[in-house]
């Protein structure tokens, strides 16, 4: 949107989505202005991270749940900065350096407020002990699995989507 609006400020872009026979039309300029520039710049990584296209999704955690958790996250601005970095051709060290805040975000999404003091390993153990069923898919990913998921999401969002827009040479 930023590229479009700099060329023509009175631009109108609408997207039509049909789901379950329902037709919905969204005003993209209105969405862009209401969400803000930082959230929109962070969306490519967020979309991949929450599970879309060729990245895996989280069991029983929808993109809507992830988005709601993102908007309520106590370190929202820091997380936006990380998501923007991951959306713009990140290198491996960016993925590794961002793991602490991303793990906090995952803990925030998977746990009730009282458990936000846990790290991701402690939360996994707590939820494993607490669950009556043996469905391990309900647990958050391990720290190693989360790092790999972030790498895949960063590759897809930063090196494929954003590189296509900017026409930069991939590292």
């Amino acid at each position: 949107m930023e590229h479009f609006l700099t060329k023509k400020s009175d631009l109108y872009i609408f997207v039509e989505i049909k789901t379950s026979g329902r037709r919905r039309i969204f005003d993209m300029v209105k969405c862009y202005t209401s969400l803000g520039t930082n959230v929109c710049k962070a969306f490519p990584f967020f979309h991949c991270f929450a599970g879309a296209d060729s990245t895996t999704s989280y069991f029983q955690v929808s993109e809507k749940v992830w988005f709601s958790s993102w908007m309520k996250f106590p370190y929202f601005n820091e997380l936006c900065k990380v998501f923007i970095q991951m959306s713009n051709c990140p290198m491996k060290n960016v993925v590794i350096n961002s793991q602490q805040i991303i793990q906090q975000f995952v803990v925030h999404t998977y746990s009730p407020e009282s458990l936000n003091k846990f790290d991701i390993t402690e939360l996994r153990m707590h939820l494993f002990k607490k669950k009556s069923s043996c469905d391990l898919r309900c647990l958050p990913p391990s720290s190693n699995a989360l790092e790999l998921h972030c790498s895949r999401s960063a590759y897809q969002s930063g090196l494929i989507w954003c590189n296509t827009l900017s026409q930069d040479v991939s590292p």
Side-chain angles (χ1 to χ4, degrees), residues 13-160:
I13 299 175
F14 294 91
V15 174
E16 178 182 3
I17 299 175
K18 291 182 181 179
T19 56
S20 305
R22 257 180 79 199
R23 178 178 169 233
R24 298 170 68 190
I25 298 176
F26 294 94
D27 180 348
M28 297 313 295
V29 175
K30 186 177 177 182
C31 290
Y32 177 78
T33 54
S34 68
L35 289 172
T37 305
N38 283 343
V39 172
C40 291
K41 285 182 178 180
F43 246 98
F45 178 78
F46 171 78
H47 176 65
C48 296
F49 179 80
D53 302 334
S54 62
T55 56
T56 56
S57 60
Y58 296 86
F59 186 72
Q60 293 184 337
V61 183
S62 68
E63 198 163 324
K64 188 175 183 178
V65 169
W66 281 111
F67 185 76
S68 175
S69 179
W70 179 22
M71 295 299 116
K72 295 174 188 170
F73 188 58
Y75 307 107
F76 173 80
N77 292 328
E78 292 85 352
L79 189 63
C80 275
K81 287 176 189 173
V82 166
F83 283 4
I84 290 169
Q85 280 184 314
M86 301 282 255
S87 296
N88 292 317
C89 303
M91 301 307 238
K92 184 68 176 170
N93 63 337
V94 173
V95 174
I96 292 168
N97 294 338
S98 65
Q99 286 306 295
Q100 182 178 4
I101 192 151
I102 291 177
Q103 284 186 20
Q104 289 175 338
F105 174 55
V106 171
V107 167
H108 176 77
T109 304
Y110 270 87
S111 65
E113 294 299 319
S114 61
L115 300 179
N116 275 346
K117 62 186 178 287
F118 286 163
D119 74 0
I120 200 160
T121 306
E122 292 170 335
L123 178 64
R124 283 174 54 84
M125 181 58 80
H126 176 79
L127 292 175
F128 176 74
K129 289 177 181 176
K130 185 180 146 192
K131 297 280 182 187
S132 58
S133 71
C134 292
D135 195 350
L136 299 178
R137 297 177 298 174
C138 295
L139 298 176
S142 67
S143 57
N144 290 338
L146 184 60
E147 184 180 328
L148 288 173
H149 181 69
C150 287
S151 294
R152 284 189 299 270
S153 300
Y155 175 76
Q156 182 175 333
S157 64
L159 296 178
I160 296 175

